[in-house]
Amino acid sequence: MYEVENRAQDVDGAVFAHLRTAVDWTDADVVDVGCGAGFHLPMFAAAARSVTGVEPHPPLVAAARTRTAVLPQVRVLEGGAEKLPVADASVDLVHARTAYFFGPGCGPGILEAMRVLRPGGRLVVVDLDATAHPYGAWMRADLPQYDPAAVETFFDAQGFAMTRIDTRWEFGDRAALRAVLGIEFTARTATRAFEETRGTALEVRYRVHVRAKPAPGLLLPGS
């Protein structure tokens, strides 16, 4: 189901189009934190010098390695965001999409990303915007303790610039839509979401947070 979801998400490529304008990874060294089964690794590998997927769940590590077996510039390592198996100042881009970096409490992961980035490198965090569209309302229904404004304030205080990106999710049929809603939400909210959705498409807004690693001797807010 996660593979079905990955293929349905952002079918127009809006997030990656924005990333390419914000961070050029051509001939760069990239780390994808929480890479899962490696869905995004080939996309980075098409232009990057090297791509390292980091994933804490062994079965997903195995799946990502299988997916990228024919890509010699890609490696997949077992590990977590707070202890990346990557050398100091060795990469140009650390990317995390809906993984680990959810606002307050993710400070250790930010510090770890700054460790492995070269000066001028970027940490890019892509998360879901719970303030927008029906999808955001469904998220808040399941996570009443989640405060989107507090998360944005946190990232702003840490020196991130933020951009909102509207995307379209498109499923092959309503059965696939229903199944994916079932893994994203509680049964009650998934039923509500399915009933409120016509056809096979969803509008989903993301937030893209970008922070650069400063040159030696310079500090960003929250450093």
Side-chain angles (χ1 to χ4, degrees), residues 68-80:
T68 59
V70 297
L71 300 173
Q73 72 273 47
V74 177
R75 61 175 181 165
V76 181
L77 304 177
E78 185 176 338

Side-chain angles (χ1 to χ4, degrees), residues 32-190:
D32 188 15
V33 178
C35 70
F39 186 81
H40 295 113
L41 300 181
M43 301 179 193
F44 286 114
R49 176 171 51 238
S50 73
V51 180
T52 301
V54 178
E55 168 59 43
H57 191 45
L60 291 179
V61 171
R65 286 174 176 167
T66 298
R67 184 193 292 273
T68 59
V70 297
L71 300 173
Q73 72 273 47
V74 177
R75 61 175 181 165
V76 181
L77 304 177
E78 185 176 338
E82 296 185 7
K83 193 174 182 180
L84 296 172
V86 179
D88 294 355
S90 62
V91 301
D92 305 292
L93 169 62
V94 175
H95 167 268
R97 184 175 300 210
T98 59
Y100 177 81
F101 293 94
F102 302 117
C106 74
I110 294 174
L111 291 175
E112 184 67 349
M114 293 301 113
R115 177 186 69 80
V116 305
L117 283 169
R118 299 182 176 109
R122 301 289 194 274
L123 167 59
V124 175
V125 175
V126 182
D127 65 1
L128 292 162
D129 186 347
T131 69
H133 305 312
Y135 199 95
W138 303 329
M139 285 180 61
R140 296 194 306 276
D142 270 358
L143 299 169
Q145 74 279 12
Y146 179 75
D147 185 346
V151 171
E152 292 180 13
T153 297
F154 169 83
F155 279 117
D156 182 64
Q158 297 297 315
F160 286 83
M162 189 265 287
T163 304
R164 302 181 197 275
I165 307 292
D166 288 309
T167 73
R168 180 172 61 92
W169 293 15
E170 181 69 53
F171 295 86
D173 52 48
R174 282 184 60 80
L177 166 68
R178 181 66 180 87
V180 168
L181 292 172
I183 62 174
E184 288 298 313
F185 302 112
T186 62
R188 180 177 180 178
T189 299

Side-chain angles (χ1 to χ4, degrees), residues 12-34:
D12 301 310
V15 172
F16 259 98
H18 173 73
L19 291 181
R20 290 309 299 255
T21 64
V23 183
D24 184 6
W25 58 85
T26 302
D27 295 325
D29 299 305
V30 176
V31 170
D32 188 15
V33 178

